[in-house]
């Protein structure tokens, strides 16, 4: 039904409803409402200023040094394993966070590079509201980089240092969210190995 709604295929709602139980009918009512809204949206006249297939004006690429297809805008963090930059993805025309791993014996080793890139590809498949979405991982100029959604906000460490200790309820809620995130990462066959307040936003 969701696919039919998305592509505009007509649905015989009465016929579908006759095959469902009371619990499923409640969901069906919501889907029918979404279908009605989708029909209204599809019936709106096209914007005369936008040609078919044109998503509007594209943002000009900002200036800055490049790492592959990404333009480095500014450094927003540093850690033991690498530097994090706010960057511009030229292909997707949006800001991302880019973590460039440090040049050391590990990143110089071909087997270690392969393992790091495999881990990045695994984490890119994780979909969880409390796990940052990884968009890609590559090696350029002898450095491995992972780029991901840019999450804005304060770290948990900064919040506690600035605002003081959390209430028991707030701490428990954050702990539950973190456990869900870690479980999603574990399900992908990975260990985070650096869970700390500075890494929670």
């Amino acid at each position: 039904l969701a696919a039919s709604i998305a592509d505009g295929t007509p649905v015989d709602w009465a016929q579908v409803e006759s095959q469902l139980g009371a619990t499923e009918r409640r969901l069906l009512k919501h889907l029918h409402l979404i279908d009605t809204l989708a029909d209204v949206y599809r019936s709106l006249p096209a914007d005369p200023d936008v040609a078919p297939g044109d998503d509007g004006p594209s943002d000009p690429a900002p200036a800055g040094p490049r790492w592959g297809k990404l333009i480095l805008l500014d450094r927003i963090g540093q850690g033991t394993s690498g530097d994090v930059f706010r960057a511009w993805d030229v292909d997707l025309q949006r800001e991302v966070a880019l973590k460039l791993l440090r040049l050391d014996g590990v990143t110089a080793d071909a087997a270690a590079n392969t393992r790091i890139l495999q881990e990045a590809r695994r984490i890119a498949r994780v979909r969880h509201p409390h796990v940052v979405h990884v968009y890609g991982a590559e090696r350029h100029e002898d450095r491995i980089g992972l780029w991901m959604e840019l999450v804005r906000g304060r770290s948990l460490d900064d919040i506690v240092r600035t605002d003081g200790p959390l209430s028991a309820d707030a701490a428990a809620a954050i702990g539950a969210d973190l456990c869900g995130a870690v479980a999603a990462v574990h399900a992908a066959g990975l260990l985070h190995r650096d869970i700390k307040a500075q890494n929670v936003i």
Side-chain angles (χ1 to χ4, degrees), residues 74-79 82-86 97-100 148 150:
D74 52 73
R75 187 189 319 234
I76 57 175
Q78 284 181 287
D83 302 312
V84 181
F85 295 87
R86 183 174 64 92
L98 170 66
K99 182 171 187 175
L100 288 179
M148 58 204 79
L150 178 63

Side-chain angles (χ1 to χ4, degrees), residues 49-51 53-59 93:
D49 296 331
V50 178
D54 183 7
D55 293 329
S58 61
D59 295 332
Q93 295 194 347

